[in-house]
Amino acid sequence: MAGQRSIGQVLSVLKSQFPDVSISKIRFLESEGLVSPERAPSGYRKYSEGDVERLRYILRVQKDHYLPLRVIREHLDMMDRGMQPPPLETPHPVPAAPGPEPDQAPVSAASASVPAAAEPGPQRPQPPLRLSRVELLRSSGLSEAALVELERQMIVVPRRGTGFYDRDALTIAMVARRLADFGMDARHMRAFKMAADREAGLIEQAIAPFQRRGSSGRTVSADVVKLVGIAHSALLRTAMDR
């Protein structure tokens, strides 16, 4: 039928505006009932112009406003009934601010952000964090049940010998909350942890000769971790584009 596209053609249309979109992401949104393309007799999906616009709306509000799927579904239901969804505020970048001092509560979940991979080189160290369990839940937006499962999998843990959580625990908790909007839970996070454990073992083997020669183990380890993180992100993007 004229005006209908295959999923590959839809991906090509959306890529210019949403570079991170993938076929698996489009299929996930369909599995969540947010878009319902027709099926050809052969079983292939056929997307109408309305389906493409619907996908464009979903991806835009996720990208610009970080709306969870539950809220997006409510907006789409209103649109299906001929109603206007609630207006969304134009997002404004939050200026970077110094991290909290030790023993201070973190910034709120609304203004906290997941840090991107840093380029290798000198970096200004961030002050340490000491978060209670209540502060971690409040700052990350995780539910109690989700945190319990992450702790059971040894993915989010307090600092050794303490009952406090550090900056890395907060980052992992925030990522877990964001990934939940895409249907990913502690099982997926466990797979990421296992991959990170393997990478850590490789890094330890690689830097051992430098440490034996008297190089600063902490500096060498930090530089290699940054480089591996950058390579890992690029390799993952390459794999998703295949």
Side-chain angles (χ1 to χ4, degrees):
M1 183 180 298
Q4 291 188 320
R5 295 184 171 94
S6 68
I7 192 169
Q9 292 170 331
V10 171
L11 181 66
S12 298
V13 170
L14 296 174
K15 271 284 188 182
S16 60
Q17 188 176 357
F18 307 100
D20 294 335
V21 71
S22 64
I23 286 178
S24 61
K25 174 63 181 293
I26 295 173
R27 286 176 175 165
F28 168 72
L29 295 175
E30 180 186 349
S31 71
E32 289 293 311
L34 300 181
V35 62
S36 300
E38 292 184 15
R39 291 282 185 143
S42 60
Y44 288 106
R45 298 168 176 84
K46 302 299 291 184
Y47 292 81
S48 67
E49 289 299 326
D51 292 328
V52 175
E53 287 305 311
R54 195 177 182 90
L55 285 168
R56 187 175 281 116
Y57 175 82
I58 296 168
L59 296 171
R60 179 175 61 81
V61 296
Q62 281 189 328
K63 175 184 176 183
D64 294 343
H65 302 279
Y66 307 105
L67 293 187
L69 294 184
R70 173 182 57 79
V71 177
I72 294 175
R73 185 176 288 108
E74 293 172 356
H75 286 197
L76 293 173
D77 288 343
M78 294 179 66
M79 294 163 66
D80 290 341
R81 296 196 301 269
M83 304 167 62
Q84 286 293 330
L88 300 173
E89 294 183 2
T90 302
H92 298 286
V94 179
E101 294 297 324
D103 299 321
Q104 278 189 326
V107 294
S108 66
S111 60
S113 60
V114 179
E119 293 291 338
Q123 302 286 328
R124 186 178 67 177
Q126 292 181 301
L129 281 181
R130 282 169 54 88
L131 307 180
S132 68
R133 186 182 183 82
V134 172
E135 290 169 337
L136 179 68
L137 288 168
R138 184 177 67 240
S139 298
S140 67
L142 271 181
S143 67
E144 173 73 22
L147 179 56
V148 167
E149 184 60 21
L150 290 172
E151 290 177 320
R152 190 180 72 82
Q153 300 280 1
M154 301 297 291
I155 297 168
V156 174
V157 294
R159 292 290 295 176
R160 186 179 302 174
T162 77
F164 294 98
Y165 299 84
D166 61 11
R167 191 177 299 277
D168 287 334
L170 174 61
T171 297
I172 295 169
M174 292 172 65
V175 168
R177 175 181 59 80
R178 295 274 296 277
L179 288 178
D181 292 339
F182 299 93
M184 304 180 76
D185 55 23
R187 294 170 300 169
H188 300 88
M189 294 295 293
R190 177 171 172 77
F192 302 151
K193 179 181 183 298
M194 292 172 64
D197 289 343
R198 288 194 297 269
E199 291 176 352
L202 291 173
I203 292 172
E204 289 173 350
Q205 292 180 19
I207 67 175
F210 295 90
Q211 293 175 319
R212 287 195 293 268
R213 289 201 293 266
S215 300
S216 172
R218 182 179 295 273
T219 300
V220 171
S221 176
D223 287 345
V224 175
V225 166
K226 290 173 186 174
L227 290 169
V228 170
I230 293 168
H232 182 88
S233 297
L235 289 168
L236 186 58
R237 287 192 297 270
T238 300
M240 292 297 294
D241 285 340
R242 289 174 186 162

